[in-house]
Amino acid sequence: MPAHGHVMALDQGTTSTRAILYRTPELVPVAVAQREIAQHFPASGWVEHEPEDLWNSSVAVLREAIAGAGLSAADIAGIGIANQRETTLVWHRHTGRPIHRALVWQDRRTADACAALRRAGHAPRVAAATGLLIDPYFSATKIAWMLDHVPGARDAAERGELAFGTVDSFLLWRLTEGRVHATDATNAARTLLFDIHAGRWDAELCALFRVPPSLLPDVRDCAAMFGSTAVLGGRTPVLGIAGDQQAATLGQACFRPGMVKSTYGTGCFALLNTGETPVASRHRLLTTIAYQLKDRRTYALEGAIFVAGAAVQWLRDGLGLIGTAADSGELAARSDPDARLYLVPAFVGLGVPYWDAEARGAIYGLTRASGPADFARAALECVGYQTRDLLSAMRADLRGSEASGEDAVLRVDGGMVASDWTMQFLADILGAPVDRPVQQETTALGAAYLAGLQAGLCPEPEGFARSWQLQKRFLPQMAEADREAAYAGWRRAVRRTLTETA
Ligand SMILES: Nc1ncnc2c1ncn2[C@@H]1O[C@H](COP(=O)(O)OP(=O)(O)O)[C@@H](O)[C@H]1O
Ligand SMILES: O=P(O)(O)OC[C@H](O)CO
């Protein structure tokens, strides 16, 4: 067993930045610090973050966590970074000054540019290399938008004066005072510019998306020496980087083909490990890199749902039906069991497997008797239905393969899994067990594991997998006929909501 030590996870997410300090080798959390991030919505469908907020909140939580534990830089073997993925920054190499606010993954401003590329027939080539669809969700068209809209930016880029990065890369640049411009393979895989099979930037795609290759960071393993930082007072190495959903996949120890985790935060992201062979989806899932260790890539099929916990926030902030998110389950439990409302939460369009950017939310089944409890239940149930959509698409893609996941148990994490009511419905509608682990901060755990692995303070994946502990298993209790009738109703509701653009 490796020796005791400490590693720090920095989890820079969409709504907040968190640092969690862990004791190795068991990865027991010993201190945590968190800061909210301001969201900027300058126009309909636009979502931006202030780069200095990303940076300042990161430094603040790192320092707070280390102070909270009564430790100093000398006690920290390394930092692991997990980050909101796809969110795009471009900055001046000489000054480190961003040329624009970060364009967040939810930002839809490049929808028309994407539609034009799809109409021109580029989708098959792009999917073959990157595993992705041409959608504003990913970084490439966001980079081009900045170069085209910030005065002088394209010329500066052509002269090699600018750098692009996802949030990990931007933070690493700042942490290392401009000495390191790098990212990891999981973040590179979300840009539309990275060949996930060859593990390198694709020059043809750079030309297609009009992104000069000089902007791009060096791509490394998830566990690697990324540089060192002085922000904690000494020199602390950055030893791990992964996109947050991939970090959660590691934190959930989904190392074997067929294992699947689903994270329920603002949105929901399910990743199914497909082993060292990438699987091309026939059902509009994404093919992505789950992790790259020792230069070997493990792939995943991914389903991305844009609204999960956000539907609960809507109950609270939009409708005022609940005081806190935690009240939603209790309210839902008071709903009439014989009535059923369907909420299709297409507040920002629908993701996998529908990919309908123009669809908007709808509620079906209203009667004179419908009340707050039925709305709450519909908001929680739609998370279960969407998960079944995702998992059905995954199973259809993998039928008969080693990674089929037919018997797999779903490992869940994220803020929303605190809701027993929602987790029970999830098990009911899937007709399969749902496992909630003891450590529910799996994103930070995965980032910490990468740093601990690289530092030699944590065991190899098989050993780490043995430390995963079940907190509660939810078993399906709904009768088969009820389950299928309820799901058929959801499918009808979605069909009525989709636009002709999908
Ligand atoms: N007890 C609960 N029941 C239902 N939803 C919850 C509960 N607690 C938190 N949530 C939802 O979980 C989300 C926060 O989860 P978190 O993992 O912190 O999200 P993110 O990383 O996207 O910021 C919020 O959307 C909130 O509405
Ligand atoms: O920041 P989160 O946890 O909402 O995750 C965002 C995803 O990485 C977007 O792809």
Side-chain angles (χ1 to χ4, degrees), residues 66-206:
I66 199 171
L71 297 175
S72 69
D75 302 308
I76 311 299
I79 299 173
I81 301 175
N83 56 291
Q84 52 168 320
R85 306 166 305 166
E86 301 97 11
T87 297
T88 299
L89 292 111
V90 175
W91 63 93
H92 290 275
R93 286 185 183 278
H94 298 305
T95 59
R97 194 165 41 82
I99 66 167
H100 194 276
R101 279 185 181 155
L103 305 195
V104 175
W105 58 277
Q106 295 152 320
D107 193 295
R108 318 291 305 170
R109 80 185 64 185
T110 59
D112 289 347
C114 290
L117 287 162
R118 288 197 303 269
R119 277 196 304 274
H122 294 297
R125 160 78 176 94
V126 169
T130 67
L132 309 176
L133 291 88
I134 302 178
D135 189 89
Y137 176 30
F138 307 106
S139 310
T141 57
K142 293 174 170 19
I143 305 174
W145 186 93
M146 282 200 219
L147 297 185
D148 291 338
H149 289 82
V150 175
R154 191 161 280 285
D155 288 344
E158 298 294 352
R159 290 194 301 269
E161 292 169 13
L162 300 183
F164 149 75
T166 37
V167 171
D168 56 307
S169 196
F170 173 67
L171 294 177
L172 182 68
W173 174 276
R174 287 276 178 103
L175 285 167
T176 61
E177 291 145 42
R179 279 172 292 133
V180 184
H181 185 209
T183 189
D184 83 297
T186 67
N187 276 294
R190 313 298 293 190
T191 58
L192 284 172
L193 303 172
F194 191 72
D195 182 329
I196 59 169
H197 310 278
R200 57 175 146 69
W201 298 115
D202 183 317
E204 260 180 50
L205 293 184
C206 291

Side-chain angles (χ1 to χ4, degrees), residues 11 13-16 18 34 244 263-267 308-313 316 325-329 380 414-419 422:
D11 174 9
T14 313
T15 54
S16 71
R18 238 174 304 210
Q34 182 165 355
D244 56 8
T263 301
Y264 298 90
T266 310
V312 178
Q313 286 167 346
R316 189 192 60 194
D327 298 339
S328 57
L380 299 181
M416 205 178 179
V417 306
S419 168
T422 309

Side-chain angles (χ1 to χ4, degrees), residues 19 56 76 152 198 250 263 284 314 444:
N56 290 330
I76 311 299
L250 291 165
T263 301
R284 309 179 90 189
W314 173 71

Side-chain angles (χ1 to χ4, degrees), residues 283-297:
H283 299 87
R284 309 179 90 189
L285 296 164
L286 307 174
T287 305
T288 203
I289 297 175
Y291 46 88
Q292 180 176 309
L293 298 173
K294 298 185 179 150
D295 211 22
R296 288 171 78 125
R297 281 177 287 287

